[in-house]
Structure formats: structure tokens, C-alpha cells
Amino acid sequence: MNYLPQWFYSLESREKNALILGSLSLLVMGIYYFLWMPFNEEKQSLKNIVTAQKSTLAWMHTAATEIQQLQQKSPVVPILTTSLLSLVEQSSTLLGKVDKRIEPQGEQAVKITIDKVSFTQLMKWLGQLYNQQEVDVRQIHIEKQKEPDIISVRLTLTTTI
């Protein structure tokens, strides 16, 4: 335990000064490289994130204003004037020539079974029914087929009006 102080005091003053100066330099470099640099890098990283988030927020505000303007200009959704059954029958031509069975389930619901239909076409058709006529999917069961993008589906559509 006493060996280190004894060894230090046995050095000449020039060696002591060099050792003290080297130790202080090593301490300063350690503080700089292991504390100060990582802190500054993290600080800069957080500043970059905040800047990116602010620009995203500004874009969102712009988009929200544009959405509100478009909603005010958008036409009113037409009220369903025909029965859901006939609407579904007429609009199902978007699916192409498919084997389908449409059964009424009361006044405001229709059960549809379609064998081998394009998933993409089905989603476009359902989107159009929802956007233009406010027809919702109450229940859906999809079975994947061997061909890509081809499915069999059983679904129940309802009116929201």
C-alpha cells in the first residue's frame, strides 16, 4: 500500500511533473472522449429528431387544412334509393365474370358467396360500395386459393343509413 507513494516521492521533480501532467492529460482526454463527445453526439441527434418532427408536424397541419377544405367541397354521399340487393347485384359487375351467390338477409343486409375472385378487385369493389353508398362489411371469411391474388370469400354487407 505504501509502495506507490514511496515510488512517487522517489522520483525526481521533473519526472513527477511529467507524470502529473501526463495523468492530467489522460484524465482530460478520458473526460472528453467518454463523457463530453457522447453527450454532444446524442444532443445533436436529438436536435435532428426534433427538427424532423417539427417539419412532420408542419406538414400534418398543412395536410389537415387541405383535408378540411376537400371535405367541405366533397359531394354529399347519395342516399341509397334502391334496395341493397339490387345495388350489390348491379355494382358486382366490377368483379368481372365470377361465380357468385347473393342472398338477402332482411332489408338492410346481403350475404354474398364468391368462388375464385381477385382479391384486389374485391377490395376495390368493397371500397367503392363504402365510399359511394355507405355499405359496410359486417362479416367476412376469406380463403386463399392456389393462384396468386385469387380468393374465395363469404361476406355479409349492410347499409349504414
Side-chain angles (χ1 to χ4, degrees):
M1 190 70 100
N2 285 336
Y3 177 72
L4 194 59
Q6 259 182 347
W7 171 79
F8 182 74
Y9 288 120
S10 68
L11 296 174
E12 292 184 24
S13 68
R14 193 171 62 191
E15 291 173 332
K16 286 180 191 176
N17 290 339
L19 186 61
I20 290 172
L21 185 61
S23 298
L24 287 175
S25 297
L26 189 61
L27 179 66
V28 168
M29 286 190 325
I31 289 172
Y32 179 77
Y33 284 108
F34 295 111
L35 295 176
W36 187 255
M37 274 183 52
F39 174 76
N40 275 341
E41 287 172 359
E42 185 65 23
K43 180 180 163 186
Q44 187 60 40
S45 173
L46 291 174
K47 281 183 180 179
N48 292 342
I49 290 171
V50 167
T51 303
Q53 294 295 331
K54 282 182 180 179
S55 67
T56 302
L57 180 63
W59 174 83
M60 286 182 176
H61 284 301
T62 305
T65 305
E66 188 176 328
I67 288 170
Q68 288 173 349
Q69 290 171 352
L70 290 173
Q71 284 176 341
Q72 291 172 355
K73 291 179 183 177
S74 69
V76 177
V77 176
I79 297 175
L80 191 61
T81 56
T82 61
S83 72
L84 179 61
L85 182 63
S86 63
L87 174 71
V88 168
E89 184 65 43
Q90 290 170 2
S91 67
S92 66
T93 57
L94 292 173
L95 297 174
K97 296 202 180 238
V98 294
D99 184 23
K100 62 183 175 287
R101 187 171 55 249
I102 302 173
E103 303 170 14
Q105 300 285 310
E107 288 290 317
Q108 295 185 346
V110 174
K111 183 177 181 181
I112 306 166
T113 304
I114 306 172
D115 294 324
K116 295 190 178 182
V117 65
S118 165
F119 178 78
T120 306
Q121 288 301 105
L122 178 71
M123 291 300 116
K124 286 179 183 177
W125 176 61
L126 292 174
Q128 182 183 15
L129 282 174
Y130 178 77
N131 291 330
Q132 293 178 358
Q133 301 293 335
E134 292 190 9
V135 175
D136 279 330
V137 176
R138 181 191 311 159
Q139 187 177 30
I140 189 165
H141 176 75
I142 297 174
E143 293 178 14
K144 182 180 176 191
Q145 300 297 310
K146 291 180 182 176
E147 300 91 12
D149 193 45
I150 302 297
I151 59 168
S152 292
V153 64
R154 290 187 314 265
L155 56 104
T156 304
L157 300 177
T158 60
T159 57
T160 58
I161 302 172

